Amino acid sequence: MTEQPESEFIEEGTGAVPARTGHLVIRDYLRRLDEAPGVYRMLDAKGEVLYVGKARNLKRRVASYAKPIGHNSRIGRMIDATASMMFLTTETETEALLLEQNLIKQLRPRYNVLLRDDKSFPNILVTDEHPFPQVKKHRGMRKEAGRYFGPFASAGSVTRTLNQLQKAFLLRSCSDSTFDARTRPCLLYQIKRCSAPCVGLIGQEDYADLVEDAADFLRGRSTKVQEHLAEEMAKASAAMEFERAAALRDRIRALTNVQANQGINPEGVEEADIVALHQDGGHACVQVFFIRAHQNWGNRAYFPRTGSGAEPAEILEAFLGQFYGNKTPARLILMSHAPDNPDLLTEALTAQLGRRVELTVPQRGEKARLVEHAARNAREALARRMAESASQQALLEGLAEAFGLDGPPERIEVYDNSHIMGTNAVGGMIVAGPEGFVKSQYRKFNIRSTDLTPGDDFGMMREVLTRRFSRLVKEDPDRQGETWPDLVLIDGGAGQVAAAEAALADLGVEDVTLIGVAKGVDRDAGKEEFHRPGQPPKALPYRDPVLYFVQRLRDEAHRFAIGAHRAKRAAQTRATPLDEVPGVGAARKRALLQHFGSAKAVARAGLADLRAAPGISDALAEQIYGFFHGER
């Protein structure tokens, strides 16, 4: 690959500024371009990337932008703002496609169709490296050895399926360390959700049969599994083994329940991703359904940023390229619209999967009905989203009017602290905007300062805001990004606001609106007082929608901060003195606890006993003994 940064500047005053912008600038590049495939970037006068595109023929593609007419409004605005371009040639068009999607994710250009949610999907993993395999939820890279089944659309879908699998196949869900430490069956055995291999209540061969039955079911061979279980139940009944027959009956019922909850179960489609697009008013929704083993494993709605004028073919090509950047595509992808360059996408996805991937727009039959169902879901999801956005926008406008803001805030940050008598103190930040709560932007802050008096809420707020805005000032001093808030809400009264104002002033941030939300008289909801620096407290009318909106923001920040505090407190509760012993990691800690039974017993153990523990060397035994007996 060869990168060719090119731009035209003239010196004017104290800095370099672009000579001009628009199609004439683009036309100047044509004489220096060849007809190789590659990726191009269009930049504005400040050097910000406006658009990233790929081309089979760079010269021909750039020539289409050099014309003054014939563009929709979105592309026209982009061309008018273009001050320079950058080019990177590639060997093949497929390589250009992959590079384009990587750059879009990295640079997030203003005029590209952009997938905003790009999380991985959970899978079910049946492990391989244990005599009694574990079945569990897995998300992320497939590094652990075992058989993966998925993807599922949500963690909830996986949890529900795992619960049913436990009922039907009695496979263990506990970790290897818990399994090795068991001396008697756990509660899951008592409620008939595990066969208790940990204490030898089932042999390895019989357990392996359960694992294979579960794998067959997840592969779509449920009829075969049920027939086998029915035969076994009949044999048990004939042999008057009524308890075993009843257990097999319960497993058959659990399997039937799983199938009933799968929703759409297409008979003619074994494995497919169904991708359907609906557009309305410059907005778009893409619904993705996952069909695996003839079963519907859930769906998810996406709302890519498109801008007005984006065509369905452009949106779907961009969506598919970005969506499958970190996900494994199905062998068959059923679509509502044909994307731009379907052959190129097919080639790229086939290379990624390592086997043939087919992209098709079905016209009739069961596949077409599946796409129609997904498209209907996309239409309904977009309608709900637009209705919620309109309501949210009205609330933001009301908030601006109530507090005299310059305009509806695009980003609201709400802060709250949580602790018990100063212990396990945590600060929480939630974010809201025109699209509601932006949970991917939530942040927690473990209070680090050792100078604070326990329970000093003012000092905690000062630390949280100092850390948050110090980072903003460092990373985006010109406020070009989308992470600077227009409005900061503080859960607290005049004291909290004063502490927050001082923290921001120390950093030179004096133009961010700051509002404290105090509980008010008798700490009743609806009687909140709002505090702003240098202004008297203010109240909003009872039952004012804006008041309810602010209450909801404050309550969400409170919920998030309390959740972070409880997680920190629970982690501390689970901690043992062994966590502080140098040289004792997770594996050795587990070995010590299994050998001695408790951390207290380890602390009381003699040197000879420690040396006898598995995996503990003489030197480490002396170190552990010294740690607990003052010889550190």
Side-chain angles (χ1 to χ4, degrees), residues 255-319:
L255 277 175
T256 304
N257 189 33
V258 174
Q259 292 170 319
N261 289 332
Q262 290 291 355
I264 305 170
N265 293 315
E267 295 181 1
V269 180
E270 179 181 1
E271 177 185 326
D273 291 343
I274 305 168
V275 182
L277 166 70
H278 183 76
Q279 288 178 272
D280 187 9
H283 301 276
C285 175
V286 179
Q287 278 277 356
V288 183
F289 280 74
F290 304 99
I291 305 297
R292 299 293 187 274
H294 298 282
Q295 300 170 11
N296 172 25
W297 282 358
N299 65 293
R300 187 178 293 185
Y302 293 88
F303 302 91
R305 188 190 73 193
T306 62
S308 60
E311 297 295 329
E314 178 191 358
I315 295 172
L316 271 184
E317 178 181 297
F319 177 85

Side-chain angles (χ1 to χ4, degrees), residues 298-446:
N299 65 293
R300 187 178 293 185
Y302 293 88
F303 302 91
R305 188 190 73 193
T306 62
S308 60
E311 297 295 329
E314 178 191 358
I315 295 172
L316 271 184
E317 178 181 297
F319 177 85
L320 292 170
Q322 295 173 48
F323 182 76
Y324 288 116
N326 66 341
K327 301 175 183 68
T328 302
R331 296 172 185 264
L332 175 64
I333 300 176
L334 303 175
M335 303 172 295
S336 59
H337 302 77
D340 283 336
N341 307 298
D343 294 340
L344 181 61
L345 271 173
T346 298
E347 183 180 344
L349 295 178
T350 296
Q352 178 182 335
L353 186 60
R355 65 188 186 204
R356 174 72 179 171
V357 174
E358 180 185 356
L359 278 71
T360 184
V361 181
Q363 300 300 316
R364 62 182 66 85
E366 183 180 36
K367 294 176 182 177
R369 290 194 295 274
L370 291 171
V371 173
E372 288 171 7
H373 176 75
R376 182 169 64 252
N377 276 269
R379 182 175 66 250
E380 293 169 356
L382 184 59
R384 289 192 298 270
R385 175 84 165 212
M386 293 176 69
E388 291 167 1
S389 295
S391 174
Q392 184 79 357
Q393 189 62 32
L395 289 171
L396 292 173
E397 290 171 358
L399 185 65
E401 182 178 352
F403 292 102
L405 309 180
D406 294 336
E410 291 293 317
R411 180 184 175 98
I412 303 172
E413 293 184 357
V414 191
Y415 294 85
D416 191 16
N417 298 323
S418 183
H419 59 91
I420 294 179
M421 301 295 290
T423 62
N424 299 307
V426 174
M429 177 193 86
I430 66 122
V431 178
E435 296 178 355
F437 293 117
V438 189
K439 295 194 176 182
S440 62
Q441 297 289 311
Y442 286 16
R443 296 292 182 268
K444 67 176 181 180
F445 301 83
N446 290 315

Side-chain angles (χ1 to χ4, degrees), residues 10 44 47 56 78-79 81 86 100 162 172 191-192 257 284 335 362 388 412 461 470 554 579 583 587:
I10 59 173
D44 65 12
R56 179 180 303 170
M78 179 185 75
I79 292 172
M86 296 180 68
E100 175 200 35
L162 284 175
R172 73 176 181 95
I191 63 175
K192 299 180 181 179
N257 189 33
M335 303 172 295
E388 291 167 1
I412 303 172
M461 186 60 66
S470 293
R554 180 204 54 203
D579 294 328

Side-chain angles (χ1 to χ4, degrees), residues 63-332:
S64 68
Y65 295 117
K67 302 173 184 177
I69 57 174
H71 309 288
N72 62 38
S73 59
R74 168 172 154 265
I75 299 300
R77 291 195 302 272
M78 179 185 75
I79 292 172
D80 290 342
T82 299
S84 62
M85 297 185 71
M86 296 180 68
F87 304 93
L88 199 153
T89 59
T90 60
E91 294 294 330
T92 65
E93 190 181 3
T94 302
E95 188 180 344
L97 171 67
L98 299 174
L99 178 60
E100 175 200 35
Q101 299 306 331
N102 287 337
L103 288 174
I104 289 172
K105 288 183 181 180
Q106 176 186 345
L107 301 173
R108 306 181 72 81
R110 187 188 319 164
Y111 288 97
N112 279 94
V113 174
L114 192 63
L115 176 60
R116 288 181 265 197
D117 182 4
D118 197 25
K119 295 179 181 176
S120 61
F121 291 105
N123 292 266
I124 287 177
L125 168 62
V126 180
T127 61
D128 273 351
E129 296 182 333
H130 196 281
F132 296 94
Q134 174 193 9
V135 58
K136 63 180 181 178
K137 177 167 59 180
H138 176 87
R139 189 191 288 270
M141 299 292 289
R142 298 186 174 188
K143 295 181 178 179
E144 191 170 350
R147 286 175 281 182
Y148 292 84
F149 301 92
F152 289 80
S154 66
S157 301
V158 175
T159 301
R160 286 191 295 273
T161 303
L162 284 175
N163 286 338
Q164 298 298 338
L165 286 176
Q166 285 179 334
K167 293 178 183 178
F169 300 106
L170 310 180
L171 301 182
R172 73 176 181 95
S173 58
C174 59
S175 66
D176 291 350
S177 59
T178 301
F179 180 95
D180 294 338
R182 296 300 306 181
T183 57
R184 59 183 180 178
C186 68
L187 179 62
L188 288 176
Y189 172 77
Q190 305 296 335
I191 63 175
K192 299 180 181 179
R193 290 199 177 191
C194 182
S195 52
C198 53
V199 291
L201 295 186
I202 185 173
Q204 187 172 340
E205 186 175 338
D206 291 337
Y207 188 85
D209 289 341
L210 293 179
V211 172
E212 288 308 311
D213 283 347
D216 282 341
F217 176 77
L218 290 170
R219 294 189 191 105
R221 302 170 188 166
S222 54
T223 303
K224 171 187 170 184
V225 174
Q226 285 180 304
E227 289 174 353
H228 171 69
L229 291 177
E231 291 174 4
E232 292 295 314
M233 184 175 69
K235 290 178 182 177
S237 296
M240 291 189 291
E241 297 175 357
F242 298 119
E243 187 174 345
R244 182 168 179 268
L248 289 166
R249 178 203 62 201
D250 293 342
R251 290 178 58 194
I252 293 172
R253 286 179 178 174
L255 277 175
T256 304
N257 189 33
V258 174
Q259 292 170 319
N261 289 332
Q262 290 291 355
I264 305 170
N265 293 315
E267 295 181 1
V269 180
E270 179 181 1
E271 177 185 326
D273 291 343
I274 305 168
V275 182
L277 166 70
H278 183 76
Q279 288 178 272
D280 187 9
H283 301 276
C285 175
V286 179
Q287 278 277 356
V288 183
F289 280 74
F290 304 99
I291 305 297
R292 299 293 187 274
H294 298 282
Q295 300 170 11
N296 172 25
W297 282 358
N299 65 293
R300 187 178 293 185
Y302 293 88
F303 302 91
R305 188 190 73 193
T306 62
S308 60
E311 297 295 329
E314 178 191 358
I315 295 172
L316 271 184
E317 178 181 297
F319 177 85
L320 292 170
Q322 295 173 48
F323 182 76
Y324 288 116
N326 66 341
K327 301 175 183 68
T328 302
R331 296 172 185 264
L332 175 64

